[in-house]
Amino acid sequence: FNLSCFIMEQQNSDLETLKMHLGNIIKPTESNSVQTSTQVLVEIFKNPACVQLLMQLMMTDEDQSIRQISCIYLRSNLPKLWCNLDKQTQEDVKVALLDRFEQDPIPIVKKSIAGVIGSLCRILIPNKEWDQLFEFVMIHSQSDSIAAQELALLLLSVIIEYLQKDDIKTHFDNISLILQGSLKSGQSSIVDLGITCINNISKATSNVKVLKSIQQMLPDILSTLSEENEDRIQLVLDCLISLVEYKGLLTPQIVNIMEGVLKVCANTDYHLNTRTRGIVFFEFVPINNTKTLKKKKDLLNRIISTLMKIACEPEDEYPEDTITPNNYALYSIKAFGVYMHKPIIFPIIIKNINACIQSEVALERKAGIELLGYICDSDACLDPIKDHIDEITEVIVKCLYDESIEVKSTTAETVGMFSENVSEFLDKVEIVVPALVDSLKYLENADVPLQKALHALHTFINGADYAKTTKIMGDLIPILLTFLEQKPSNTIGVQKWTMEIISSIVIAADKEIEDYFDTLMGP
């Protein structure tokens, strides 16, 4: 390919200047060099001539990072400046992009070049101005060379993300042939890229013809799985998560799929990302598969019990602020509570909750009471919870008196959720508040759990009947005042929630608060 068309005789900012500023973005030499270079680049990229400079850097520079950042700026600026380029330059750019995509030795740079091609094909393909692009993909996909096939599928996987729905539909007959061939190739890298393409297509279009074709590929997709290939499992799970949202698409294979994904979820030897994908898949399953699950009660029971076991796993091994498999499992169980018929799903969920709460293991008791809080809103199992409020209140009170601080803290959060969602729960002031107040004594040296418990108490007092609040304020006020004392455990957050509770009591008690005026004014 002749580079002369990209060499400019005159330019406000020459190639070395552009390269210097791009280098400053990658590796700043001074504290303000990024800001300065960014301002310069903004001005440079207003001129259509910058396309030729960026192309030259992308094609010839020895520094991989310079080639890659050139691609990044080409991807964002080339579509905007395209109409300002003359016809010959446009043709030269198209040829050069495909040529460099094929020739660049670094995979990550290849993918960046594919991104530039994708951004450009978004404006050219609808107008049939780049037929050579699909010719490139078809020719390379039919090659005997594995490297050529990988190139075709890598490019296809990227440009699919940029194509319009109608463009995918128009070219899907040819795309489908490529994908079917990739799944049956037996070559690991080709299969992985084929699955990636299918996943990207399922995200990009809801066309019935396209989705029906993908449905026919499902057996081939599932046949590529093996327990040892965890990367492949992740790819297939990503694909299934995209497809499960379409009603009826997975139905012919859904039982086999759920059985397989359950095994992935339960396998603690798999990486966090692998298991998480499997658990998230079940969050979408009940949306469009309730009829199948009604007929497969044994499978439904196993799904909920498996997710419950995951929710009971230790969380210590994960970094702080990580959303753990435990959290995902609880969200997925709640999804079943939201979308499934309540008389079918609630008995299964509550059976698992009770089994956990009766366990001798604190982690299991914690998971059980935490799930109870997850499912108490109106979207999930509020109605059956109201029907069993007496038994459920007994369970909550029992957990507030639990010997484990973690169980106490989690139960306090559940009390807060019940106070916001279950009006019948607020009638249980006489038994809930003493238990909640008792838990405060054990949480006084644990700032966040104590704040959660105080927040729960505030929510409960705020929603409860004024007369019932007035009856207990004599016992409650002295305890609350201890959290206003000046000591390290009484943080600003603890004092804030304490004052909120006292304010709610004052409002509820009205004139009867006068008897406690001196007690309150002292602190």
Side-chain angles (χ1 to χ4, degrees):
F1 182 78
N2 184 6
L3 291 178
S4 61
C5 61
F6 293 121
I7 298 175
M8 308 177 66
E9 293 180 3
Q10 289 187 345
Q11 176 70 14
N12 292 334
S13 180
D14 63 14
L15 200 62
E16 288 305 315
T17 302
L18 176 59
K19 181 177 177 178
M20 179 190 73
H21 288 296
L22 292 176
N24 282 341
I25 300 295
I26 301 167
K27 295 178 182 177
T29 54
E30 299 176 9
S31 58
N32 64 340
S33 59
V34 172
Q35 184 178 0
T36 303
S37 291
T38 300
Q39 292 171 346
V40 173
L41 290 172
V42 167
E43 294 304 315
I44 290 174
F45 295 147
K46 290 178 182 179
N47 188 337
C50 73
V51 171
Q52 291 133 311
L53 290 175
L54 286 169
M55 287 293 296
Q56 189 171 345
L57 288 174
M58 180 200 75
M59 296 173 67
T60 63
D61 203 274
E62 294 180 358
D63 187 338
Q64 168 192 331
S65 60
I66 291 294
R67 297 204 305 277
Q68 191 170 353
I69 197 170
S70 298
C71 289
I72 292 170
Y73 283 111
L74 275 169
R75 189 178 65 207
S76 59
N77 290 287
L78 183 55
K80 293 185 286 188
L81 298 172
W82 187 253
C83 293
N84 299 106
L85 304 178
D86 61 67
K87 292 294 181 184
Q88 186 56 52
T89 302
Q90 288 178 348
E91 291 303 315
D92 290 336
V93 168
K94 288 190 287 186
V95 172
L97 284 171
L98 291 175
D99 180 74
R100 191 59 199 173
F101 172 72
E102 188 168 11
Q103 298 300 327
D104 201 288
I106 307 299
I108 194 170
V109 178
K110 278 185 184 293
K111 192 163 186 179
S112 296
I113 297 171
V116 180
I117 294 170
S119 68
L120 192 54
C121 81
R122 176 177 285 169
I123 61 174
L124 299 184
I125 295 299
N127 299 322
K128 298 182 179 179
E129 295 178 6
W130 203 357
D131 294 336
Q132 303 94 324
L133 180 60
F134 281 105
E135 288 175 12
F136 179 96
V137 172
M138 289 300 297
I139 291 169
H140 283 70
S141 68
Q142 294 167 4
S143 170
D144 293 332
S145 164
I146 298 298
Q149 293 177 43
E150 288 175 349
L151 274 179
L153 286 162
L154 174 60
L155 182 56
L156 184 60
S157 70
V158 174
I159 64 174
I160 282 168
E161 299 180 41
Y162 292 89
L163 291 176
Q164 303 294 330
K165 293 179 180 180
D166 290 341
D167 297 324
I168 294 175
K169 178 183 174 183
T170 301
H171 295 278
F172 192 72
D173 287 341
N174 289 330
I175 293 174
S176 178
L177 291 174
I178 296 172
L179 297 179
Q180 290 173 33
S182 70
L183 294 174
K184 295 176 180 177
S185 68
Q187 182 67 35
S188 183
S189 60
I190 302 298
V191 173
D192 288 346
L193 285 166
I195 294 171
T196 301
C197 286
I198 293 169
N199 185 27
N200 290 346
I201 290 171
S202 63
K203 292 177 181 177
T205 183
S206 56
N207 180 266
V208 175
K209 175 190 171 185
V210 172
L211 294 175
K212 283 286 184 185
S213 180
I214 291 176
Q215 186 182 53
Q216 293 169 6
M217 298 180 200
L218 277 174
D220 291 330
I221 295 173
L222 298 175
S223 69
T224 67
L225 287 172
S226 70
E227 291 182 6
E228 293 76 27
N229 191 339
E230 197 171 340
D231 290 337
R232 175 75 50 76
I233 290 172
Q234 289 190 16
L235 281 174
V236 172
L237 285 172
D238 284 339
C239 193
L240 292 174
I241 290 169
S242 298
L243 296 173
V244 73
E245 296 185 60
Y246 295 107
K247 189 171 184 177
L249 190 65
L250 298 183
T251 300
Q253 303 285 336
I254 191 64
V255 174
N256 291 334
I257 290 171
M258 286 193 285
E259 295 275 10
V261 177
L262 264 185
K263 293 178 183 177
V264 174
C265 295
N267 191 335
T268 54
D269 291 331
Y270 282 148
H271 191 272
L272 170 65
N273 290 337
T274 307
R275 298 184 71 210
T276 296
R277 284 170 166 85
I279 299 166
V280 169
F281 171 77
F282 281 110
E283 192 173 340
F284 294 101
V285 161
I287 298 174
N288 290 318
N289 296 282
T290 53
K291 290 183 179 178
T292 303
L293 290 165
K294 280 181 185 178
K295 297 173 186 175
K296 301 284 182 180
K297 294 244 182 106
D298 178 62
L299 176 59
L300 180 58
N301 271 284
R302 281 191 288 120
I303 291 171
I304 300 301
S305 62
T306 300
L307 292 172
M308 199 71 231
K309 286 177 184 175
I310 295 168
C312 296
E313 291 175 2
E315 298 181 90
D316 300 341
E317 59 191 74
Y318 301 109
E320 194 175 348
D321 297 328
T322 300
I323 302 178
T324 65
N326 313 58
N327 304 126
Y328 284 114
L330 292 171
Y331 284 125
S332 292
I333 295 173
K334 179 180 178 178
F336 281 86
V338 171
Y339 294 103
M340 292 286 298
H341 189 45
K342 303 303 180 280
I344 291 175
I345 193 61
F346 182 71
I348 297 173
I349 294 178
I350 205 68
K351 179 182 73 175
N352 280 272
I353 288 174
N354 286 331
C356 286
I357 287 172
Q358 292 165 14
S359 169
E360 294 181 1
V361 181
L363 279 174
E364 295 180 7
R365 299 197 299 275
K366 174 181 177 292
I369 199 68
E370 189 171 10
L371 176 58
L372 194 56
Y374 273 59
I375 63 168
C376 73
D377 62 37
S378 57
D379 289 336
C381 298
L382 177 59
D383 289 337
I385 282 175
K386 285 182 176 180
D387 295 337
H388 298 82
I389 191 62
D390 291 338
E391 307 97 288
I392 289 173
T393 302
E394 287 179 13
V395 168
I396 291 173
V397 170
K398 176 184 175 183
C399 290
L400 284 171
Y401 286 115
D402 196 279
E403 61 186 20
S404 164
I405 288 180
E406 281 197 347
V407 175
K408 286 179 181 291
S409 174
T410 303
T411 308
E413 286 188 74
T414 297
V415 169
M417 295 177 190
F418 265 67
S419 303
E420 291 175 359
N421 295 309
V422 190
S423 56
E424 289 78 0
F425 184 64
L426 298 173
D427 295 332
K428 310 293 183 181
V429 172
E430 292 87 348
I431 58 173
V432 174
V433 170
L436 190 52
V437 170
D438 181 77
S439 70
L440 297 177
K441 295 183 291 186
Y442 299 92
L443 300 174
E444 62 180 358
N445 293 317
D447 180 41
V448 174
L450 178 57
Q451 287 193 52
K452 290 177 180 178
L454 288 168
H455 174 257
L457 182 58
H458 171 253
T459 306
F460 195 95
I461 294 293
N462 227 21
D465 181 77
Y466 281 1
K468 292 185 177 181
T469 300
T470 304
K471 283 182 182 179
I472 62 168
M473 67 180 177
D475 297 325
L476 192 53
I477 288 174
I479 295 170
L480 291 172
L481 292 179
T482 64
F483 295 113
L484 296 179
E485 296 172 0
Q486 296 299 318
K487 54 183 180 181
S489 60
N490 291 343
T491 62
I492 292 175
V494 168
Q495 292 180 346
K496 171 190 177 296
W497 285 115
T498 302
M499 291 300 295
E500 293 279 4
I501 297 167
I502 292 173
S503 297
S504 295
I505 292 173
V506 169
I507 292 169
D510 197 14
K511 291 184 179 179
E512 293 182 45
I513 199 65
E514 292 176 2
D515 295 338
Y516 301 91
F517 187 79
D518 291 338
T519 306
L520 288 169
M521 286 298 99

